[in-house]
Amino acid sequence: MNRAPANKENVIPIPARYPCQKDIGVRPGKRKAETNLGTQWMKENAALKRQNHGTKLVADSAAQQQPAQQNGVLQENQASNVRTFADITTKTANTPAQDPQIDSSSRIEQLFSSGFSLHAEEASHHFNRATSAALHEQHRAADTQPAALPSSSNPPLDWSIKTAVRFSSAQPFAIAEEALTVSASTACSAVRAFAACEEDGMQVLQERYQAASMSWQHPETSYLPTTLSALQAAKSSPDDLIAQRHAAWQQAFRGLYYALRHRQCDAFYLATPQGVHPHKQNMVLFGAPGIAGRPSLHAIVSRSTLGLRTAMQQQYHLTFTMPLAPTPKKKQQEDDPQLPDDLAVLQTRGGVTGREGDNSRESLLYFEGPLEVQGLFEYLFNERRKLCGEDCDVPLLMAPVPFPAACLKQLHLKVLGASESARGKTVQHKLEMKGSIPPWVLDRLTGVLKDAHPAKFQMVAETAPLSGSFNVQPEGCACASAVKAPLSVLHTGGTVNSHEAERWREPSGQLANLVMRDLVCCERQFVTRLTRCSGAHS
């Protein structure tokens, strides 16, 4: 069978719209021409995509910059054949004078003002907040800036609790180094003299140094909540052990309060134990008549909440004042309409409205008079678990006199040795004491060092935040504080001599609600600097 020769009529070419299909049946002479057709089609397709993409970008940009003229801009771009970014760059030179010009700076300004700038009210709000923060920082810096008192032979008695004290001097503290090898007879003599509150029985200066760091407290050690949980999980009658611990604390608190009422104790402290929730931490100072220039029996609670004040007023019918609270601007009923009228008047009298200022320095409570202090004692005695928590240990009691179930606590003054000063020119010898340091310990210790250390020395103290406002002088006490009690009525409720008893009765008005930060003793004269206790409350 003869085969017809191949010619143009027998060959079916592939359409140009299928350039990627294989050239099946295409003659070699036509392959190159068909490939060129496919390449040309791909180039035209890519150019068309770029044109469409450029038109979309221009339309989107015009829509963001001028939403009100969106349709007009798109029509202008279509009429002027703007399809790619290259057309946009070349259009400026070929555009007639009557076409509107594009001002990039004004468009950027419009974009910034419409998309990123704040409204006038919001910007003003941020400015006011920044200004308030700056003023608060200035006030805080002014509060922490120390104020110096005039030179005197004795430092002021600061009724706050110290957590750490450090002494430094260019000369070594010989009496502290001698205390490391003190004899047993000297130590026993110091204990007997301190228990009897008699300084005359201390014939040796080392005995005074030993007795100066002693205090009475209950319990001896405080248990953490984890320790109490372990005791409760034990098999050997843990409930009896915890109940005995609670009963011993009640006995100690009752005996100490009766000693205060019968003028056998000048002052004592009650502090919540370790492990208490930060919002429940508290500290109370009980003072006898005349202490710190306050004429009546009194007590100070470092901070309070609306719930605590409500319970004291409604359940125990207590009356108290809040001397550190600011003057109220609105009545209590506006903040809490469900609060009784009598409690609302009581709250606003002190200057705190509702829950405003809870657990702050301004929420300090001041109780004055035998009836009010007795009511506070009953509340703390019966509501201890509500005050501290169910899973916490008993509160800590500290006093300068012995009381039932009390233990003798001696704080150790550690010798740190010699070290170079900050400037590196002199060598400083340092002593350090840590723990809950009551005011009688710090005052007696500085007096002993004044007599035993003739060289110049400096002391720096850290104050417990909850006790930073115990030097408050309520209204009405200024006139009474100017009258000093005669020596015939001075009692030894923890003081070792009549001179110390007079100093305990000096008014705390010179501290102006501040605390002692540091002091310098030079030639038996003290220069004291005061400051506000920072971070007193959360």
Side-chain angles (χ1 to χ4, degrees):
M1 181 177 181
N2 297 332
R3 186 175 183 179
N7 51 26
K8 293 182 180 182
E9 291 75 15
N10 295 334
V11 177
I12 302 176
I14 297 177
R17 61 177 179 272
Y18 303 113
C20 297
Q21 188 174 350
K22 294 182 179 180
D23 298 336
I24 302 176
V26 179
R27 291 182 300 178
K30 294 288 186 176
R31 186 180 303 274
K32 184 175 181 180
E34 298 294 336
T35 303
N36 294 336
L37 291 175
T39 303
Q40 183 178 1
W41 177 87
M42 293 178 62
K43 290 182 179 180
E44 292 178 356
N45 190 20
L48 182 61
K49 289 183 179 181
R50 287 196 300 269
Q51 293 172 3
N52 295 336
H53 184 63
T55 306
K56 183 179 181 180
L57 289 179
V58 173
D60 294 341
S61 177
Q64 294 179 2
Q65 296 176 3
Q66 294 181 352
Q69 301 178 1
Q70 180 177 4
N71 296 332
V73 174
L74 291 176
Q75 294 176 1
E76 178 185 356
N77 292 338
Q78 294 176 0
S80 57
N81 296 327
V82 178
R83 296 181 178 179
T84 63
F85 288 102
D87 296 335
I88 295 175
T89 56
T90 57
K91 182 178 181 299
T92 306
N94 301 328
T95 302
Q98 61 274 12
D99 292 344
Q101 299 294 329
I102 299 177
D103 189 358
S104 60
S105 60
S106 61
R107 294 295 176 86
I108 294 175
E109 184 178 357
Q110 293 176 5
L111 180 63
F112 180 81
S113 60
S114 61
F116 300 98
S117 63
L118 298 174
H119 296 87
E121 296 180 357
E122 187 176 0
S124 177
H125 175 67
H126 284 274
F127 177 77
N128 293 335
R129 290 184 58 184
T131 305
S132 301
L135 291 177
H136 177 73
E137 185 68 20
Q138 292 178 2
H139 293 165
R140 188 188 67 82
D143 290 340
T144 56
Q145 185 176 4
L149 293 180
S151 176
S152 61
S153 57
N154 295 295
L157 192 61
D158 185 2
W159 288 98
S160 63
I161 298 294
K162 306 300 180 183
T163 58
V165 175
R166 177 171 293 186
F167 296 90
S168 60
S169 176
Q171 300 295 330
F173 295 94
I175 190 171
E177 296 177 355
E178 293 174 1
L180 299 176
T181 58
V182 66
S183 61
S185 60
T186 302
C188 292
S189 299
V191 171
R192 287 196 302 267
F194 172 75
C197 294
E198 295 179 357
E199 191 181 32
D200 297 337
M202 305 178 191
Q203 302 296 333
V204 184
L205 194 60
Q206 184 62 229
E207 295 179 0
R208 287 182 55 196
Y209 179 80
Q210 293 290 329
S213 58
M214 295 181 184
S215 181
W216 299 95
Q217 73 176 38
H218 178 87
E220 182 180 2
T221 56
S222 297
Y223 291 163
L224 296 175
T226 54
T227 305
L228 295 178
S229 300
L231 292 176
Q232 293 177 356
K235 298 181 180 180
S236 58
S237 61
D239 296 335
D240 295 341
L241 180 60
I242 297 177
Q244 291 176 4
R245 188 174 181 85
H246 178 62
W249 179 85
Q250 287 184 330
Q251 180 186 6
F253 189 27
R254 184 190 300 110
L256 189 55
Y257 175 72
Y258 287 164
L260 179 74
R261 290 293 303 268
H262 291 83
R263 294 180 177 270
Q264 299 300 316
C265 177
D266 285 341
F268 70 90
Y269 293 84
L270 182 147
T272 52
Q274 299 179 359
V276 178
H277 192 274
H279 289 167
K280 290 189 176 182
Q281 294 178 358
N282 216 326
M283 190 173 293
V284 184
L285 167 62
F286 289 85
I291 296 299
R294 305 180 185 107
S296 304
L297 187 70
H298 60 275
I300 303 175
V301 180
S302 62
R303 64 179 185 176
S304 63
T305 60
L306 177 62
L308 178 64
R309 296 190 294 268
T310 304
M312 287 182 176
Q313 200 276 339
Q314 293 183 349
Q315 300 178 11
Y316 290 83
H317 305 285
L318 298 180
T319 302
F320 49 82
T321 58
M322 306 175 71
L324 299 182
T327 304
K329 296 181 180 180
K330 296 182 179 180
K331 294 183 178 181
Q332 179 70 22
Q333 291 87 342
E334 298 179 1
D335 295 339
D336 195 349
Q338 299 179 356
L339 199 64
D341 295 338
D342 52 354
L343 182 60
V345 174
L346 182 63
Q347 303 276 13
T348 54
R349 184 193 309 171
V352 173
T353 60
R355 293 176 176 82
E356 179 183 351
D358 279 2
N359 284 329
S360 65
R361 179 177 177 270
E362 290 75 15
S363 64
L364 177 140
L365 304 181
Y366 181 75
F367 298 81
E368 186 175 13
L371 293 179
E372 306 306 328
V373 176
Q374 175 72 27
L376 177 62
F377 162 73
E378 294 177 356
Y379 177 82
L380 297 175
F381 188 87
N382 299 325
E383 308 294 341
R384 178 193 64 83
R385 295 186 182 275
K386 292 183 180 179
L387 182 66
C388 302
E390 295 291 339
D391 56 344
C392 292
D393 198 11
V394 295
L396 176 66
L397 301 173
M398 295 180 291
V401 296
F403 56 93
C407 65
L408 181 62
K409 179 71 173 181
Q410 185 175 14
L411 300 171
H412 295 283
L413 196 60
K414 184 178 179 181
V415 180
L416 299 181
S419 61
E420 294 185 357
S421 62
R423 298 180 180 180
K425 296 182 180 179
T426 59
V427 177
Q428 295 290 325
H429 299 265
K430 298 181 181 180
L431 305 176
E432 187 180 51
M433 176 183 288
K434 291 185 177 181
S436 297
I437 307 172
W440 49 84
V441 170
L442 184 60
D443 185 67
R444 293 168 183 173
L445 195 58
T446 54
V448 173
L449 291 180
K450 182 184 71 172
D451 297 335
H453 191 73
K456 177 182 177 181
F457 68 89
Q458 182 179 4
M459 185 209 70
V460 179
E462 295 181 6
T463 304
L466 291 176
S467 65
S469 301
F470 281 167
N471 294 315
V472 61
Q473 195 72 21
E475 296 181 1
C477 295
C479 296
S481 63
V483 180
K484 293 185 179 181
L487 295 178
S488 59
V489 300
L490 292 178
H491 56 279
T492 58
T495 56
V496 296
N497 52 39
S498 59
H499 176 68
E500 187 178 60
E502 289 181 347
R503 295 188 59 248
W504 282 31
R505 283 155 181 78
E506 292 179 355
S508 58
Q510 60 176 339
L511 297 180
N513 301 331
L514 303 178
V515 296
M516 181 169 56
R517 174 183 174 180
D518 57 73
L519 60 84
V520 178
C521 180
C522 182
E523 298 180 356
R524 302 180 62 84
Q525 294 292 318
F526 290 93
V527 176
T528 307
R529 292 197 300 176
L530 309 175
T531 185
R532 187 181 300 278
C533 184
S534 59
H537 305 87
S538 59

